[in-house]
Amino acid sequence: MPDIGHRPVVEVIENHPRVGEILRDHDIACVDCTEASCMLKDVVSIHNLEPEQAEELARQVAAVLGVDPDEVEMEVSSGPTRSEPSPVIRILNDEHLTIRRLVGLTPAMAEQVDPATVSDRDLLHGAVEFIRAYADRYHHAKEEEELFSLFDQNLEIFQVMRLDHEMARGEVRAIEEATESQDRAAVAEHLSAYHDLLEEHISKEDDVLYPWIDRQLTDHQVGTLFARFRQIENEMAEIRRRSEEFLQKVEQALAVRDGAGRVSGQTPKTN
Amino acid sequence: MGTFHQCPGSGMVDRSDEQDEGRSGDVSSQLRQWPVQMHLVSPVAPYYQKADVLLAADCVAYALGDFHAEHLKGKALGIACPKLDQQQTVYLEKVKAWVDQAKINTLTVMIMEVPCCMGLLSMAQRAVQEADRDVPIKAFTVSLKGEILSEQWV
Ligand SMILES: [Fe+2]
Ligand SMILES: [Fe+2]
């Protein structure tokens, strides 16, 4: 089997479902990953396995494929293992928590919010504005423009991440359009699609991509990224302030609605 | 091998019976500056400007076999002993000046595993906290046998 290590994991699993089970036994959930464009040989380094575990995994996979373990080309990642994320990755992890607060509100929004009312349309426009300002400008200024750009953009993992970003932007546009056309079902559908996409995307970044990136970053790069991140935070302080304010407002509104069925102190207007 | 008596910082350890073939490789000096002692350095010296700075406890370079190649390389250095040195408030001010005036990029603090050495890391953390700028601090702890016990962003 020539170049088996260079085949997409998803294809290998499709042809040999047992490989998927073996990976799952090693806590590697490629079977559940919808894109899984990573190559078989990269699985070990991306998931930062210990050398003994990597060797065992290669042996098991090779046995199923009927090849020599060396042909799988699974290489252990280089660089020291750092148990704590670097300060730059910590900043991005924290921003994911903020984005997740909004994402966590989308099921309640989908259920309760009716774009036929002015106040609910305002709320939906607010959510769209939050995502564009906080996730797309504030967070991606650091993540895409600064962090990702240090790496070879031809690597599949970055292409997958950028594709996710594009798809998320598409869902946000769809939420906005459905809001304007007061199509409640379409609003709910795209909020839900955005929710699922973001939950999976953020997990991929927090659990796989960021730890992998962190292991490649030199101390010097951590320092320069950190300074740049602080500069971006200063330049976009207003976005951060407005986003936090919006989140608090919506969290309150939806919590109140949960009990009372509508936003407290407001009579929904229809027009 | 001896054991610690009372103060672990000065407790005796004798490993003279342990044999080691030694390692060949890059043994050239990675020091690119003088002076290095914290009382002697000027925190705004050219070699500190925008640099990745290493603040090492005196004993670290003796304990670590690969100090030059693995840790000093590419960094500007300051050394101090948090247990014995006098007037350590001067150190605090100098670290602050590294951050605010020399605008250093990162600060790496290397200390020995003995408890009194923690003082150097605490001082560095306090200095960065009190400074106007913020820089990442990384801490290494080195064992008496010369191994890296931990490497951590703090
Ligand atoms: Fe992302
Ligand atoms: Fe992200």
Side-chain angles (χ1 to χ4, degrees), chain A residues 21-36:
Chain A
E21 291 166 27
I22 292 170
L23 291 173
R24 188 173 271 161
D25 288 344
H26 288 268
D27 288 328
I28 299 172
C30 292
V31 191
D32 306 321
C33 181
T34 45
E35 287 100 1

Side-chain angles (χ1 to χ4, degrees), chain A residues 19-165:
Chain A
V19 172
E21 291 166 27
I22 292 170
L23 291 173
R24 188 173 271 161
D25 288 344
H26 288 268
D27 288 328
I28 299 172
C30 292
V31 191
D32 306 321
C33 181
T34 45
E35 287 100 1
S37 56
C38 323
M39 288 181 279
L40 183 62
K41 72 176 183 63
D42 296 329
V43 164
V44 168
S45 64
I46 285 175
H47 291 272
N48 197 29
L49 300 188
E50 293 294 328
E52 302 82 51
Q53 198 188 353
E55 218 171 277
E56 173 64 11
L57 179 63
R59 202 184 53 69
Q60 291 174 336
V61 170
V64 172
L65 302 176
V67 298
D68 193 81
D70 289 344
E71 283 181 59
V72 187
E73 292 184 65
M74 286 178 168
E75 276 168 21
V76 183
S77 62
S78 55
T81 311
R82 294 168 184 158
S83 44
E84 284 292 315
S86 67
V88 289
I89 294 299
R90 229 178 288 159
I91 289 172
L92 297 178
N93 288 145
D94 285 348
E95 289 172 5
H96 282 170
L97 291 179
T98 304
I99 296 170
R100 268 202 159 123
R101 271 170 70 193
L102 189 274
V103 171
L105 291 169
T106 54
M109 271 187 220
E111 209 182 284
Q112 300 172 27
V113 167
D114 181 359
T117 70
V118 174
S119 58
D120 282 4
R121 279 204 299 280
D122 283 350
L123 190 150
L124 288 165
H125 282 306
V128 165
E129 169 61 17
F130 172 94
I131 297 165
R132 286 182 178 155
Y134 190 84
D136 233 8
R137 286 189 55 211
Y138 186 81
H139 178 63
H140 285 163
K142 299 174 186 172
E143 183 183 88
E144 267 197 37
E145 287 161 38
E146 300 295 330
L147 183 70
F148 288 3
S149 63
L150 293 176
F151 294 85
D152 176 3
Q153 293 310 296
N154 294 320
L155 285 174
E156 296 237 35
I157 191 149
F158 292 107
Q159 291 176 3
V160 171
M161 292 300 138
R162 285 181 196 272
L163 191 69
D164 279 357
H165 293 172

